[in-house]
Amino acid sequence: MSATPKKKRTAGRILAVGAGLATIGALVAALPAGASGTKGDGYGHGHGRYVDVQLLSFNDLHGNLEPPTGSAGRVTHTNEDGTTRTIDAGGVEYLATHLREARKGNPYSVTAAAGDMIGASPLVSGLFHDEPTVEALNRLKLDVSSVGNHEFDEGARELARIQNGGCHPTEGCFEEGKRFKGADFPYLAANVTDEKTGRPMLDPYFVWERDGVKVGFIGVTLEGTADIVSAEGIKGLTFGDEIETINKYTKVLERKGVKSIVALLHEGGVPVSGSYNYDCDSPGPGDGISGPIVDIAKKVSPQVDALVTGHTHQAYACTVPDPAGKPRTVTSAASFGKLYTDTTLTYDRRSKDIVRTAVSSANHVVTRDVPKAQDMTRLIDRWKTLAAPIASRPVGYISGDVDNPFDAPEKPLGNLIADAQLEGMAPADKGGAQLALMNPGGVRAPLVHKASAGEGDGVVTYGEAYTVQPFTNMMTAVDLTGAQLLTALQQQVSGPNQAAPKILQVSNGFTYTLDMTKTGADRIVTSSVRLNGAAIDPSKTYRVAMNEFLAGGGDGFAVLKEHKNKLVGASDLDLFTAYLGAHSSASAPLAPPATGRITVVK
């Protein structure tokens, strides 16, 4: 599928590997001049020597047009006395209002994102291949975004359509008489290259300009993207080192006279506290954050003035020293549109660079106590009307919230999904599975007991089930030896997953101990691993249910690719809804499953 490029605000083009689109170079958008400012005295906005550029940023929206529900729609605030409270946050109707208000009085304002704008989206967007979210981002006046791993969920060709527009190649146009316009903003992926030519498949950078003030943006996704997306959709692509790529294009921008540079990086870190307003520069700069972004930030060229990051769904506005030892801001705005970051970049017209000592950043909550942006309300209502016949159908009933806590190794909802997968794949003619493994990143939202759209408390609609399992992965039943099964458990906490463990959700009857006082693979107490009370025999063969993503070695579980005798079944969503329907009714709702399958030693 080759999309026809079109002229628009950013006139971006993207190469779909093998689809015949030409690779293009940098994209420079000369935006309309802003309102007249006053002459600057020292640091200030206007037409004096110093100009304050407002950088508004967010990340990991994942198509959450409506306010996310339950714990997925709350942020934690730490009060002055050390106590905490939660705040309901998110929803593009409110995000639009907050961003539009923040831009007032700031003639030099640019809005950027750090990837995963689409993919793993709720039904109102996901059912339509995220066209609604792209339309919303266009209305939000997003200027530029890096890609994240989820931009590749449906492959490079579909990403080309998302950028350039055109109706879906198999499902056509979703609205009669309307053709999808595509993204008005450029998607950047400097480190995603054609393995044959070495050329970037998207624009590697973008230069924002207003009244002679220029800021360059370099966009990269995490180097490990290939390990966490379907291999089929990214054939022919290579994902390069983030640091090397950013430093390479920093030099390119400098040669073009662009000295003010921001990196948009879909990789992140984990702060010590889950509060969005936590001071992660205490006791010293960057001391309160760990994870891949710290090492990256310490090695990215000092010429880069700020790093806008994502992927870990965490909130932070930190100062991590650059290779020259100078402070540099590193930010992330949680996920699902619950926060946005406001960064002031003071631009020196004489040096054409950012005055780094004057850079300041803070995260702000997208509260729901402001007026809704009516254009966003109309957009959501339009797509919800199209989705309603499918979305509103009841598929099950629950007696209470089935939670998906972000930081818990074992999640009630993960247990429910693994049980559904085992039941669906256990019959001899369906695969004969004895246990099921579910990747935690595939569980996208909790099931909330309270009614969200008039369906009644405790009713689970198809739309809600879709929001939990939006990938529609096909399920498989495979042969694994006991030794391979033990290795898979160890790969949860070692290798690429050592810094940020990915704890598989397991079906009922499969138990083991996770000892977090140890390090790496030693965290798995192999002698404790049991199936229905019997110790796992390394030499024995087991039938294991898992989705195609895991069966392909996704999320760093390389050993799972060694499976044999694969049988493909129904989709994960079909098994999930079938289980809810078989085990619940209005008079006998399903209770949230207990935890205790994984014993955690801390």
Side-chain angles (χ1 to χ4, degrees):
M1 185 275 295
S2 178
T4 303
K6 58 188 182 298
K7 290 183 179 180
K8 51 187 176 181
R9 188 159 62 99
T10 56
R13 287 188 66 190
I14 176 175
L15 169 67
V17 176
L21 290 176
T23 306
I24 64 168
L27 173 63
V28 180
L31 300 184
S36 296
T38 57
K39 229 169 177 53
D41 290 328
Y43 298 146
H45 68 269
H47 295 281
R49 174 175 172 180
Y50 297 105
V51 174
D52 279 352
V53 176
Q54 178 190 55
L55 171 60
L56 301 176
S57 59
F58 55 99
N59 51 276
D60 295 275
L61 180 64
H62 289 290
N64 277 265
L65 301 181
E66 297 182 275
T69 59
S71 58
R74 292 191 289 267
V75 296
T76 301
H77 176 92
T78 298
N79 302 316
E80 288 187 12
D81 62 2
T83 59
T84 61
R85 59 187 171 93
T86 59
I87 304 170
D88 290 338
V92 296
E93 294 159 296
Y94 303 110
L95 177 61
T97 298
H98 281 279
L99 290 179
R100 290 164 183 172
E101 190 64 29
R103 291 176 185 136
K104 291 180 179 178
N106 290 283
Y108 299 89
S109 183
V110 56
T111 303
D116 278 9
M117 295 294 97
I118 60 174
S121 304
L123 183 137
V124 71
S125 184
L127 189 64
F128 306 106
H129 299 273
D130 281 314
E131 290 183 19
T133 294
V134 175
E135 182 184 343
L137 292 170
N138 290 343
R139 291 178 180 273
L140 281 175
K141 301 299 182 186
L142 180 63
D143 290 293
V144 59
S145 179
S146 69
V147 295
N149 52 289
H150 283 283
E151 264 78 20
F152 293 93
D153 279 351
E154 296 189 47
R157 288 172 180 259
E158 173 64 3
L159 183 51
R161 188 183 75 88
I162 290 295
Q163 178 77 84
N164 292 312
C167 297
H168 193 270
T170 58
E171 297 182 36
C173 296
F174 296 114
E175 294 183 290
E176 189 174 349
K178 289 186 180 181
R179 180 181 180 275
F180 175 54
K181 288 174 51 182
D184 286 349
F185 55 92
Y187 262 124
L188 307 181
N191 66 331
V192 186
T193 56
D194 185 315
E195 64 182 15
K196 292 181 180 179
T197 67
R199 295 176 180 173
M201 66 157 289
L202 284 83
D203 295 338
Y205 60 84
F206 162 86
V207 178
W208 176 88
E209 181 177 4
R210 180 164 293 175
D211 293 344
V213 175
K214 295 181 180 180
V215 180
F217 291 87
I218 302 168
V220 299
T221 185
L222 70 153
E223 185 179 7
T225 291
D227 296 328
I228 53 177
V229 300
S230 174
E232 187 64 29
I234 57 169
K235 278 185 177 179
L237 295 179
T238 299
F239 294 82
D241 181 86
E242 306 98 331
I243 300 165
E244 292 176 6
T245 304
I246 294 171
N247 290 348
K248 171 185 175 180
Y249 285 103
T250 295
K251 292 178 181 177
V252 171
L253 285 170
E254 286 184 293
R255 287 197 295 269
K256 292 179 176 292
V258 179
K259 296 181 180 179
S260 299
I261 300 170
V262 175
L264 304 176
L265 170 61
H266 192 70
E267 178 61 290
V270 180
V272 172
S273 167
S275 294
Y276 79 91
N277 61 333
Y278 167 72
D279 180 8
C280 63
D281 287 335
S282 177
D287 284 346
I289 187 173
S290 61
I293 196 60
V294 177
D295 185 56
I296 293 171
K298 289 180 177 178
K299 295 178 181 177
V300 162
S301 168
Q303 187 57 49
V304 174
D305 298 296
L307 280 74
V308 176
T309 74
H311 187 56
T312 56
H313 290 203
Q314 301 288 322
Y316 47 84
C318 301
T319 304
V320 179
D322 68 15
K326 296 180 180 178
R328 176 166 58 193
T329 187
V330 179
T331 68
S332 175
S335 63
F336 300 171
K338 292 178 290 190
L339 301 174
Y340 71 90
T341 311
D342 191 335
T343 300
T344 299
L345 301 170
T346 298
Y347 181 92
D348 184 345
R349 288 185 181 274
R350 188 174 299 172
S351 68
K352 299 181 180 179
D353 207 348
I354 299 298
V355 182
R356 288 263 294 275
T357 54
V359 173
S360 62
S361 291
N363 277 321
H364 299 274
V365 181
V366 177
T367 60
R368 301 177 190 170
D369 58 357
V370 297
K372 294 180 179 181
Q374 291 304 303
D375 59 331
M376 292 299 180
T377 302
R378 289 191 295 271
L379 181 154
I380 292 170
D381 288 347
R382 204 177 83 237
W383 289 103
K384 282 181 71 174
T385 299
L386 283 176
I390 297 172
S392 59
R393 176 169 59 88
V395 295
Y397 303 84
I398 53 176
S399 63
D401 291 351
V402 187
D403 289 328
N404 182 43
F406 184 80
D407 295 324
E410 182 184 357
K411 311 167 195 296
L413 187 52
N415 288 352
L416 176 59
I417 289 169
D419 289 348
Q421 294 178 351
L422 175 59
E423 182 169 295
M425 302 299 288
D429 63 339
K430 302 294 185 183
Q434 298 166 275
L435 70 143
L437 303 176
M438 174 63 196
N439 55 304
V443 186
R444 304 304 300 183
L447 282 180
V448 179
H449 182 264
K450 185 178 180 181
S452 60
E455 75 277 14
D457 290 350
V459 178
V460 180
T461 64
Y462 183 84
E464 290 167 335
Y466 183 101
T467 298
V468 171
Q469 295 251 265
F471 297 108
T472 318
N473 268 309
M474 301 310 291
M475 289 300 301
T476 68
V478 302
D479 282 351
L480 289 176
T481 65
Q484 290 171 326
L485 195 52
L486 294 173
T487 298
L489 295 180
Q490 292 171 330
Q491 288 179 347
Q492 299 176 115
V493 288
S494 62
N497 293 331
Q498 181 157 334
K502 291 187 174 69
I503 306 302
L504 296 166
Q505 304 301 284
V506 298
S507 54
N508 193 29
F510 189 76
T511 58
Y512 69 94
T513 297
L514 179 65
D515 188 348
M516 298 303 289
T517 66
K518 304 285 182 62
T519 58
D522 290 339
R523 287 176 166 177
I524 303 301
V525 182
T526 54
S527 62
S528 71
V529 185
R530 282 172 165 69
L531 178 60
N532 299 322
I536 292 295
D537 182 347
S539 63
K540 186 177 176 181
T541 296
Y542 297 86
R543 290 292 283 171
V544 185
M546 65 184 77
N547 59 39
E548 285 272 27
F549 172 71
L550 278 178
D555 269 354
F557 292 98
V559 71
L560 297 182
K561 289 191 292 185
E562 300 171 13
H563 64 259
K564 294 180 179 179
N565 300 323
K566 181 169 76 171
L567 185 147
V568 178
S571 74
D572 51 7
L573 180 59
D574 285 345
L575 293 188
F576 184 45
T577 57
Y579 186 88
L580 290 170
H583 292 271
S584 69
S585 65
S587 59
L590 182 71
T595 55
R597 302 172 188 185
I598 304 173
T599 300
V600 181
V601 178
K602 296 182 179 180

